[in-house]
Amino acid sequence: MRIDLHTHSTVSDGTGTPAQVMREAAEAGLDVVALTDHDSILGWEEASAEADAVGVRFVPGIEVSCKHRGISIHLLSYWHDRADADVRDMLALTREARVHRARAIVDVLAADFPLTWGAVADRAGAATVGRPHIADALVDLGVVPTRDAAFDRILAPGSRYYVPHFAPEVTAAVATMRRAGGVTVFAHPGATARGRVVGDAVVAEMAHAGLVGVEVDHRDHDDAQRGRLGALADGLGLVRTGASDYHGTGKRNRLGENLTSPAAFAALEAARQR
Ligand code: AMP
Ligand code: ZN
Ligand code: FE
Ligand code: FE
């Protein structure tokens, strides 16, 4: 069984529609695939219908932007109640903060490049706006050749163009998703290329708040990190997952390049029922 529990569509910063992602998942030989757009569940219905049509099992998910002491943390959640008021409030605040933050980044960039908010807004459309949409607008202008180059040269934390955005405290987000029936997994906890990462004590706090799993097998982790994070997960009684973090043509990550074992997936499902 091939199980990939982390993908993005045009509902956030992936380049394929939710239906396209499901079709590609079937073509990639996946049996189970989760759609985990940033701070939005708006792709669930379309993905679910197409997954049924192409014969893959769809898992409704999300990647929640969170923080701990200024460090950005991504939290995957599966199966939570999309109508839960606390979940909706939390996500609405973050999406609004993302718009303000994207506008602030554009303001700084506009001093050096002929970039407008309108161009970025066009690129984002109705999606949860993120730096990849700013990258796309910079590619359109010929400032950089690709999204990757935009992140390397302009959009990374530490760049003078970088602006952070509000996001909920991660332990509160774990508890909120849990109360709404969600099963949470700490996404790419050791991805140092994305910026600073939190220490083991924070993962323990998250476990205490109801975290179920750790995404150990991810492109951004080398073998040493996988060993360390796998041991950390074992020590805390957390499930070890793996996934592609597919973004369509927006990133190099390929569907199915990292997988979650059937036993680990069964453990996530068991946590859902508790
Ligand atoms: P943001 O959501 O605005 O903080 O932007 C972070 C998102 O950009 C994450 O979902 C990453 O997957 C994506 N991202 C990070 N680095 C790159 C890169 N080098 N190329 C394309 N996308 C990236
Ligand atoms: Zn993304
Ligand atoms: Fe992420
Ligand atoms: Fe992601």
Side-chain angles (χ1 to χ4, degrees), residues 34 79 82 148 195:
W79 299 299
R82 59 182 288 172
D148 272 351

Side-chain angles (χ1 to χ4, degrees), residues 6 8 38 63 73-76 187-188 194 215 218 245 247 251:
H6 185 165
H8 296 269
H38 298 284
E63 185 170 18
I73 295 180
H74 284 177
L75 181 71
L76 298 163
H188 48 69
R194 296 183 65 253
E215 190 184 50
H218 184 285
D245 202 355
H247 279 70
K251 270 182 118 176

